[in-house]
Amino acid sequence: MYIVPEVLIAGLVSPADAFAAMEACFAAMARGEARNFPVVREALGGGRQYGFKSGLDAAGGQLGVKAGGYFPGNAARGITNHQSTVYLFDPETGRPIAMVGGNLLTALRTAAASALSIDRLARQEARVLGILGAGHQAQFQLRAAARVRAFGRVVAWNRSPEKLARLGAVAAELGLAFEAVSLDRLGAEADVIITITSSDRFSLRDAQVRPGTHLSCMGTDTIGKQEVEPTLLARAALFTDEPAQSVSIGEAQHAVAAGLVAASSIVPLGDVLTGRHPGRRSDSEITLYDGTGMGLQDLAVAAVALRRAQEVGTALSVAL
Ligand code: NAD
């Protein structure tokens, strides 16, 4: 089997690679060729979360699991809060194929899925990007979103505003104007809003979001997390990566539990990619993508990393 350690990933997989992998992965799901298995996620205490996301892409020949989670004390230790490793197996024999560092891959695939939703659902003339959150994932979200629309300006909000400076530096690097704003201003000015916080109580209120906005709600990936007011979901056309996860661990868990939206109204993004659903229906519609994070996304980018590492000869080979 092969080992592709975390330290090699940056040189192997680009945001463009991750975007292409997400397009293929979501479309394979919509065609019924790939499926996610139920997520296992357990609290370890002290805010730590640990679990497994797994799936099978029969057409792509990928079987595997991402093991890892969220360890909020890590930042103080100088390492990222999200820690994970992807294991790929031969779908026919079950023999291990590779162990691939999953930290950067998680950020790349999460940002790519968000960007894919923006690409397919946001208004073409979207020019102002709003971002809630300034943690580890936020800068990846900004970089990926900037690839799919001609944004000129970023308006951002974070609970601790001093952390926004790092996001501002990324915006400057991308040639985008950047401003730290209130949530009122963010909602009033942004054409696209990405939420990427680990909050357990919504920050963005329904009334702060104007018609025509596209939202990528990416931070809620566990029972109990929440980023936007549930009534906003009742006003929006809802899309997701995986409907079963959207209603159980995604942003929609609250609106569905409160009876504000029907689970059956949440459309897989893959249906938009394959043309089964038209996507945005008007310039005034609010579209909301509930990105919960799927095992199949992890397998797809890990497979790219493995292939590239084998091509350039950097994958470490271990005898079984
Ligand atoms: P991080 O710990 O680096 O940053 C957390 C961010 O959330 C910070 O901006 C912080 O200010 C904000 N925040 C925390 N509590 C808040 C509150 N009560 N109100 C408002 N803001 C609050 O985390 P990260 O690595 O950037 O991840 C952010 C979130 O994205 C996490 O919930 C993580 O689990 C989730 N995530 C989702 C996916 C997916 O596929 N959907 C993938 C990776 C991470």
Side-chain angles (χ1 to χ4, degrees):
M1 68 175 283
Y2 292 96
I3 298 174
V4 186
E6 184 67 42
V7 69
L8 294 181
I9 302 297
L12 296 170
V13 183
S14 70
D17 295 327
F19 188 88
M22 292 310 97
E23 270 186 308
C25 165
F26 282 59
M29 280 175 58
R31 290 192 302 268
E33 293 167 358
R35 64 191 170 101
N36 292 289
F37 302 148
V39 174
V40 174
R41 196 147 167 110
E42 296 291 330
L44 301 183
R48 292 167 301 156
Q49 296 278 340
Y50 178 69
F52 309 100
K53 287 189 168 178
S54 57
L56 168 67
D57 181 344
Q62 290 156 16
L63 172 70
V65 59
K66 179 171 82 171
Y70 188 73
F71 301 82
N74 282 5
R77 299 184 178 103
I79 51 179
T80 59
N81 290 346
H82 183 105
Q83 289 292 324
S84 61
T85 306
V86 184
Y87 299 86
L88 298 173
F89 300 92
D90 182 327
E92 293 306 317
T93 64
R95 276 166 67 86
I97 294 174
M99 180 178 121
V100 184
N103 296 355
L104 178 58
L105 287 180
T106 296
L108 289 170
R109 65 79 151 148
T110 304
S114 170
L116 186 56
S117 83
I118 295 168
D119 188 47
R120 302 306 163 104
L121 296 170
R123 284 177 289 115
Q124 281 300 330
E125 65 277 17
R127 293 293 174 268
V128 180
L129 174 64
I131 301 184
L132 266 79
H136 180 69
Q137 304 292 330
Q139 58 176 304
F140 294 93
Q141 290 285 329
L142 170 52
R143 287 183 196 281
R147 293 185 62 255
V148 297
R149 283 293 181 278
F151 293 115
R153 198 156 67 88
V154 178
V155 287
W157 175 90
N158 193 51
R159 190 175 57 162
S160 325
E162 67 280 1
K163 297 212 173 117
L164 287 167
R166 199 174 48 171
L167 203 54
V170 174
E173 187 193 315
L174 296 169
L176 302 174
F178 182 89
E179 201 179 346
V181 296
S182 66
L183 284 172
D184 278 339
R185 266 194 64 193
L186 190 148
E189 296 176 23
D191 301 307
V192 171
I193 298 175
I194 296 171
T195 63
I196 185 72
T197 71
S198 53
S199 180
D200 56 6
R201 172 92 185 114
F202 69 81
S203 309
L204 189 65
R205 283 184 289 112
D206 183 6
Q208 288 168 322
V209 177
R210 59 182 180 155
T213 303
H214 171 72
L215 295 106
S216 286
C217 295
M218 304 304 297
T220 298
D221 56 357
T222 306
I223 291 172
K225 287 188 189 173
Q226 186 181 42
E227 300 195 283
V228 303
E229 189 172 5
T231 50
L232 173 61
L233 279 79
R235 230 177 12 120
L238 301 177
F239 301 86
T240 188
D241 41 22
E242 168 70 86
Q245 292 189 191
S246 174
V247 301
S248 55
I249 59 171
E251 193 62 38
Q253 63 182 285
H254 310 285
V256 170
L260 292 167
V261 302
S264 58
S265 68
I266 307 172
V267 177
L269 186 59
D271 281 2
V272 179
L273 301 187
T274 54
R276 194 177 299 155
H277 188 281
R280 169 174 290 278
R281 290 193 170 97
S282 78
D283 278 355
S284 61
E285 189 171 53
I286 293 174
T287 51
L288 187 151
Y289 173 70
D290 184 3
T292 65
M294 310 177 294
L296 285 172
Q297 291 174 263
D298 299 307
L299 307 190
V301 283
V304 174
L306 174 62
R307 192 174 68 240
R308 291 275 161 75
Q310 288 172 321
E311 281 165 7
V312 298
T314 53
L316 308 173
S317 178
V318 179
L320 283 179

